[in-house]
Amino acid sequence: MSQPARHNRPPTGRGPRLVARDRRRLSWHASLALRWLLVALVGLLLVGASAATAGSGAQPSLALTVFDEDIVVVRGERFPASRPVTLDANLVLTQGDVYGGTGEITSGPDGQFLVGFQVPPGTVGEITVTASADGVPTVSAKLSVSVAGEPLPTDQPASPPPSPATDAGPAAVNYPPPDTPYVVGPGERYTSVQAAVNAAPEGATIYIKNGVYREAVTPKSGQTLQGETRDGARISGANLVEPGWWKQSGRYWYFDTPWPLRGRINSKWDGVTPDIDAQATDLLHRDDIPLLHKKALDQIGPDDFYIDYSAKRVYIASDPAGHRFELAVRKQGVGDGQRRTENVTLVNLTVEKTATGFHEGGIEMDKGWTVRDCLVLGHHGRGISTTVDNTIIGTVTPFTSPYPGGGARESAQQGRSGSMQVLYNGSLGIGGSGWLGQPDRFGHTSTKQSETTTAEYSNNIKISGVEIGWSNSQRFSYWDEGGGIKLLLRKDVVVENNWVHDSFGPGVWFDTNNRNITVTGNLIEDNLATGVWYEANPGPFSGGVRISHNTMRRNGNDQLGMNRNFDGRGQYGGVFLSDSADIEVDNNFIETGTVGGFGITNHYGGSRTRPANINVHDNVISIGIPTAAIGFAIGGNNIRFDRNVVLTWGQVNPDSVLFSLGADTFPRWRSTHDPNAAIAAISPPAGRR
């Protein structure tokens, strides 16, 4: 992220330093180019001004004045001496658009402070500044401003996107307005979410009326952020691209961005192919769908974009007419980078389109957070990052007719829009890692490949009733992180009744030292790689994993894998068990179709956990090509199979290589491994591939 431009007037003295929360920079709405000035403006101090101190007992005061036509000066008095003061400024334009930013300043020894910020040309509206500090009441002041120049671009609340993927429709949940004084919206007391958060105490509810709030939000512990309607109340990390900004040059269209760009965040992995610039965080959205970032101008097609960072110019290769474009430039939606805000609830709102990096989330959950009935849309990195005691839940489940198990030879389970959706996120829909440079609170080390092996710990994570779709939109190489859900170093996790689909990578992935995991009742389909991947998990400490009563269809497609092909380990298929132990896989319906990979497979690489204590029973595997229904490359210790059914499309060939472990035909498989196994022919299901 670039530094704000410095003001061209020299300061009159060394003034107080304003510290912003986002890497010591202020998070103003970028299209306003509002810039805090690190100036003292000593000459503006009134003669005979009070030198009130913190010990005077007087109430703090705040005053706003205009200096040199386009600088608003904020003056505070009678604050606690030499203590941090949080400033929240909001600008409401006459058109009704709302902008804002937050920062901190340290008061002087006399309890006073003085700071200014520049207002860009064309600003006509009212500015409200709120100041808060520990031990004194919150105070605010307002000032009408009118600065000559071209009018500022306006932002309109986003309309529901045309794609059914982001339309809650009948799944929307009706939440009555809460009884709270902290109401956000045009014409309300608070015109930005962060202003209401700052004014409210811990544990309060902030009610967000419909509109687009282009800001980053850091709540306080115990607070609830509730939207008026889920798709109407939107906290956005993106700025609106005005239609008139586009210019055509040959086969390209471009605009020059007026906002600071975050640029590339280096990570171990980049795009799955060399032309994809997955590390560049600034993400262009067309009609709420992210485009794919390419590394060179001549590489872009109709669904791609390119940024010339030296010129701050954004290019596309299709006519922008009739479309709405937004550019994600803020690194945070809702969260606290310091991991110190606990027990927060987000309900019935949208958090969308941030410029997050590879391991960063648009929602950064801390301990005890809940996200309920929300839309989490289009973040460059993860949609949501989890930690400890987290719940992500939808009231309306995103599918019909769950699979009953018990050997049923068809699953009527079909996906639909639910009330909690995590869609079109750049790397993962939902992630969680124990080694991101921030100490976790559950008793194990936070280095990449090591963790405490003697101490108990618990994450207590529940993901229930969530649609997670079109994840890894920026095509990160999913060999490290990319897909629907990926959790690392986690214990006590329930993933139930979700619809995980169309991810460029695995559907659900537990990678390295996860324990006591339940994956049940989910619909997992049309993901590039395996439906459920359980990798490098040794299994003790209160259990391994149970994968039960799920429907998995058409997971694994080497035609979409670009530089990834089928291999003997089964990353393309229904369930992939890699270097892991203490596993039960039961009562699942797995349809590989004609483009999917194996049904249920395992792999042992020789250096991690040897397969042991694996029970595979009562599963139905429907296959449309001659591939391994059950493909185990090594026996391991205590590997059991019972009552598994294989359905072949068209006809049964008992000599087909449908099994493994030395049993290359069905009769040999039944006689040596699964005495109650069955095989049958079915007609190819209508409309299936």
Side-chain angles (χ1 to χ4, degrees), residues 139-153:
V139 293
S140 62
K142 295 184 178 182
L143 179 70
S144 296
V145 293
S146 180
V147 181
E150 292 297 321
L152 287 168

Side-chain angles (χ1 to χ4, degrees), residues 165 398 415-416 421-423 466-471 484 499-504 507 523-528 555:
R416 65 181 183 188
Q421 294 176 295
V422 182
L423 307 177
V466 183
E467 179 188 357
I468 304 165
W470 298 281
S471 301
W499 180 26
V500 186
H501 63 92
D502 292 284
S503 298
F504 195 87
L523 173 59
I524 304 172
E525 60 185 359
D526 296 307
N527 298 288
L528 170 71
N555 295 294

Side-chain angles (χ1 to χ4, degrees), residues 312-628:
K312 294 182 64 177
R313 181 166 290 180
V314 182
Y315 290 88
I316 60 175
S318 58
D319 191 345
H323 297 283
R324 176 170 49 83
F325 287 86
E326 296 168 280
L327 184 64
V329 294
R330 297 175 192 82
K331 81 162 194 174
Q332 177 180 304
V334 180
D336 178 8
Q338 301 298 318
R339 300 285 186 184
R340 59 190 178 186
T341 303
E342 300 182 355
N343 302 318
V344 169
T345 298
L346 309 182
V347 60
N348 203 40
L349 54 82
T350 294
V351 182
E352 62 180 354
K353 303 168 187 163
T354 57
T356 44
F358 185 52
H359 284 305
E360 299 170 339
I363 297 176
E364 287 282 349
M365 304 179 84
D366 199 359
K367 183 177 181 181
W369 279 46
T370 296
V371 180
R372 179 186 298 111
D373 296 332
C374 291
L375 172 61
V376 182
L377 174 69
H379 301 279
H380 176 268
R382 299 170 175 174
I384 303 174
S385 284
T386 61
T387 55
V388 185
D389 297 334
N390 294 157
T391 299
I392 305 168
I393 191 167
T395 302
V396 179
T397 55
F399 55 75
T400 61
S401 304
Y403 180 61
R409 299 192 176 190
E410 181 56 81
S411 173
Q413 195 170 19
Q414 298 293 328
R416 65 181 183 188
S417 296
S419 56
M420 176 75 217
Q421 294 176 295
V422 182
L423 307 177
Y424 292 104
N425 293 290
S427 62
L428 287 173
I430 299 172
S433 304
W435 46 273
L436 303 183
Q438 298 161 340
D440 287 331
R441 302 178 180 179
F442 34 81
H444 66 68
T445 60
S446 57
T447 57
K448 181 173 181 179
Q449 291 296 341
S450 64
E451 53 97 38
T452 300
T453 57
T454 58
E456 284 285 353
Y457 61 91
S458 177
N459 292 89
N460 189 27
I461 295 171
K462 183 176 183 179
I463 303 171
S464 178
V466 183
E467 179 188 357
I468 304 165
W470 298 281
S471 301
N472 198 13
S473 70
Q474 295 309 296
R475 300 297 190 261
F476 282 97
S477 176
Y478 68 80
W479 241 234
D480 183 68
E481 176 168 304
I485 300 171
K486 182 180 180 182
L487 300 177
L488 175 91
L489 296 172
R490 292 300 188 248
K491 180 175 179 287
D492 300 331
V493 177
V494 175
V495 177
E496 64 178 9
N497 301 328
N498 304 290
W499 180 26
V500 186
H501 63 92
D502 292 284
S503 298
F504 195 87
V508 181
W509 185 2
F510 294 94
D511 182 5
T512 308
N513 295 326
N514 296 279
R515 295 179 172 90
N516 199 25
I517 308 298
T518 300
V519 181
T520 185
N522 302 282
L523 173 59
I524 304 172
E525 60 185 359
D526 296 307
N527 298 288
L528 170 71
T530 190
V532 178
W533 189 350
Y534 196 64
E535 178 185 9
N537 300 293
F541 287 178
S542 304
V545 63
R546 185 181 182 193
I547 303 168
S548 176
H549 290 85
N550 303 284
T551 297
M552 306 181 204
R553 297 192 184 102
R554 301 175 302 276
N555 295 294
N557 188 337
D558 67 336
Q559 298 173 15
L560 297 179
M562 296 185 178
N563 62 343
R564 301 294 186 187
N565 297 316
F566 280 96
D567 60 32
R569 299 187 297 168
Q571 283 94 337
Y572 299 95
V575 177
F576 181 41
L577 312 174
S578 172
D579 302 304
S580 296
D582 292 278
I583 301 164
E584 183 174 13
V585 182
D586 69 283
N587 288 283
N588 300 285
F589 182 85
I590 301 173
E591 180 184 290
T592 65
T594 60
V595 298
F598 304 152
I600 303 170
T601 62
N602 88 326
H603 167 75
Y604 176 52
S607 62
R608 298 190 289 188
T609 300
R610 183 179 177 85
N613 304 321
I614 299 175
N615 188 6
V616 180
H617 63 93
D618 295 289
N619 300 285
V620 175
I621 304 170
S622 179
I623 56 177
I625 53 177
T627 186

